[in-house]
Amino acid sequence: MGHSYQYTTTGGQSAECEQQNMEAVSECGCQSGALPTVEEANVDCGCGCSCAPGMLGALRLLCHARFSALIDYSQFAFITEHFVLGTSLSCPDEVTTAYDNLTGPLAGELTEVSPLSCRRLGVSGQIYNAQPACSVTCCADGPGFSASELSLCSVKAIAFGVVAEPVPAPADPTSLTPYQKAKTLFYQTMHPGCPIRPITIRPTPCDSAPSPACTDLDCRRTVSLTAGPLVVGNVSMIGRIGGVYVLANDESERFYFVCADSVDFVG
């Protein structure tokens, strides 16, 4: 039987290590200083479930102490083809900043991940129909029960947020917010040894003309796309874990794990 990782919103990282701006500093004396390993889960989920190994690998990152201090596990949304757990959908206006079509605040919870199972995630929250509230006058709410499990093979994308900034906020104006720390950590983890990109990643002329050897979306710095009922625009492309894109939204301070084979339209 495979072990299950139980996620909580409290991290194992010491305050001293936090002050080192997420650098692996040996004198901290804490294992959480090391960067997590990025890899797909070693599972075979069969035909029609090609995204699951990458999604499990992405979710397992969130079990690492460096991430668990930053991620709010009660601030999730799980997007499938017909339903969304944790938020309803909206009709976003055309804007030039980063956006999505999740009404928010995200209210779904990730409670358990079985790293060797393709079949279920432990979740909690209200289920909504995958129809924007602005396009229908009824029926936004989905089935009349609260979900406790979700089939991993049905997931198109997962959105999630970070813990609230400490109150009072750090006096140092150069201190990173929890979102900025998480975004930097994602980039360090997925691109070890590479220079860290600026926290605010904006399009450049190179984004529309990637290298001829680079044909996938993860070669871009920003992207707009649809994946099932999810719409995200002008978001930062952090990287890819197997069949899963890792995206970041600087406006809402949300992250997204998106199945590559669920992407329909790209802009």
Side-chain angles (χ1 to χ4, degrees), residues 189-234:
T189 301
M190 302 182 72
H191 306 276
C194 295
I196 299 174
R197 292 174 176 173
I199 292 299
T200 302
I201 301 176
R202 300 187 182 281
T204 71
C206 299
D207 292 327
S208 58
S211 165
C214 184
T215 59
D216 204 358
L217 291 181
D218 59 328
C219 299
R220 301 188 182 191
R221 295 185 70 183
T222 58
V223 67
S224 300
L225 57 81
T226 66
L230 175 68
V231 178
V232 294
N234 305 318

Side-chain angles (χ1 to χ4, degrees), residues 22-226:
M22 299 183 299
E23 294 294 334
V25 181
S26 59
E27 57 264 28
C28 282
C30 56
Q31 184 178 1
S32 60
L35 289 174
T37 300
V38 181
E39 59 186 1
E40 290 184 286
N42 185 23
V43 293
D44 181 4
C45 299
C47 182
C49 197
S50 60
C51 180
M55 189 64 77
L56 277 174
L59 290 170
R60 284 166 60 178
L61 271 184
L62 305 185
C63 181
H64 193 278
R66 296 288 296 278
F67 281 101
S68 66
L70 300 170
I71 304 303
D72 186 346
Y73 300 102
S74 62
Q75 197 181 142
F76 270 67
F78 302 90
I79 295 95
T80 69
E81 183 176 359
H82 300 293
F83 299 100
V84 180
L85 185 146
T87 185
S88 58
L89 301 180
S90 65
C91 296
D93 296 326
E94 184 175 352
V95 294
T96 57
T97 56
Y99 65 90
D100 61 29
N101 66 334
L102 306 178
T103 57
L106 307 184
E109 184 176 1
L110 175 64
T111 61
E112 186 178 359
V113 176
S114 299
L116 300 181
S117 172
C118 306
R119 298 304 166 195
R120 62 175 293 272
L121 290 176
V123 299
S124 177
Q126 183 174 352
I127 304 171
Y128 297 86
N129 287 315
Q131 298 180 6
C134 58
S135 66
V136 295
T137 57
C138 71
C139 316
D141 292 349
F145 65 90
S146 295
S148 60
E149 294 185 8
L150 170 64
S151 170
L152 185 63
C153 293
S154 68
V155 173
K156 303 294 184 184
I158 296 174
F160 55 94
V162 297
V163 296
E165 191 166 5
V167 178
D172 184 358
T174 64
S175 296
L176 299 181
T177 66
Y179 169 77
Q180 291 170 332
K181 290 178 182 180
K183 184 176 179 181
T184 301
L185 182 56
F186 269 122
Y187 189 81
Q188 287 177 323
T189 301
M190 302 182 72
H191 306 276
C194 295
I196 299 174
R197 292 174 176 173
I199 292 299
T200 302
I201 301 176
R202 300 187 182 281
T204 71
C206 299
D207 292 327
S208 58
S211 165
C214 184
T215 59
D216 204 358
L217 291 181
D218 59 328
C219 299
R220 301 188 182 191
R221 295 185 70 183
T222 58
V223 67
S224 300
L225 57 81
T226 66

